[in-house]
Amino acid sequence: LDIKLRNYEIKNGEKLLKSMFINQKPVISIFTFATGQKCYDKTWWKNLYKKIKVLENDYSILEILPAENVSQIDFAAKSYFSRDIREIASVMFNTKVFIGADSGMMHLAHASNVTTIGLFSVTEPEFYGVYGANNISIDTNNKDADYIINMILERI
């Protein structure tokens, strides 16, 4: 997958990302929403976020919000929203890694060429997962938050 962002879009995404953080550390992006049963509950996300937050000495964390303006971590991280899909992709492109459940946003991240960690609990990662490069699909039915953190660390 490749959304084929133009250079000016990539530069705009970089500018938007830089405007969100005082420090200029690399950014870990997360998307905590998905539709139906693919959406992990708040307890699950808060547990994972607590572990991701440990990386804040070296990384900034950005939650990309859905149109529904909901956050499974109760807006604990810096957040970003846009209705412009290409703009969202340009912001994602400029992050170090994207973590999110099987959703349109996960597929957009994959298409934007950011390292993508797809989280799967209902659908089959073999069919719907991310592939290639440094991307990974994780079946969370048999992998825990510590495993996900290790996969993040291997990719950043």
Side-chain angles (χ1 to χ4, degrees):
L1 296 175
D2 189 348
I3 196 167
K4 298 188 186 295
L5 293 168
R6 297 173 188 100
N7 284 336
Y8 76 87
E9 291 174 308
I10 292 169
K11 289 191 182 306
N12 185 57
E14 179 182 24
K15 180 179 170 186
L16 285 167
L17 203 54
K18 284 183 176 180
S19 74
M20 294 179 219
F21 297 99
I22 295 170
N23 63 53
Q24 298 303 303
K25 297 185 278 189
V27 177
I28 296 170
S29 58
I30 61 175
F31 183 73
T32 66
F33 192 69
T35 56
Q37 293 180 324
K38 294 188 283 184
C39 190
Y40 293 88
D41 65 29
K42 286 187 176 201
T43 302
W44 189 94
W45 268 109
K46 285 179 180 178
N47 178 52
L48 181 60
Y49 178 67
K50 185 171 79 176
K51 292 177 182 282
I52 293 171
K53 200 165 167 43
V54 171
L55 305 174
E56 277 189 314
N57 285 339
D58 299 313
Y59 297 90
S60 295
I61 302 168
L62 177 68
E63 181 178 14
I64 299 171
L65 297 175
E68 294 83 355
N69 195 37
V70 295
S71 168
Q72 297 299 83
I73 59 169
D74 293 325
F75 303 94
K78 172 74 83 177
S79 60
Y80 163 76
F81 171 76
S82 175
R83 291 196 182 278
D84 184 330
I85 288 178
R86 294 191 68 84
E87 180 182 286
I88 297 167
S90 74
V91 168
M92 290 175 172
F93 176 91
N94 284 284
T95 65
K96 189 74 173 163
V97 65
F98 170 92
I99 303 114
D102 179 18
S103 64
M105 204 62 82
M106 179 205 70
H107 293 291
L108 181 62
H110 186 201
S112 75
N113 291 312
V114 63
T115 296
T116 303
I117 298 175
L119 307 172
F120 292 79
S121 63
V122 178
T123 52
E124 299 175 23
E126 303 82 27
F127 296 107
Y128 303 104
V130 295
Y131 54 88
N134 213 11
N135 303 313
I136 187 171
S137 300
I138 299 173
D139 182 343
T140 60
N141 293 306
N142 53 37
K143 303 292 183 195
D144 63 8
D146 290 327
Y147 178 84
I148 295 167
I149 294 300
N150 285 333
M151 294 301 100
I152 293 168
L153 290 170
E154 282 183 17
R155 285 157 175 76
I156 52 176

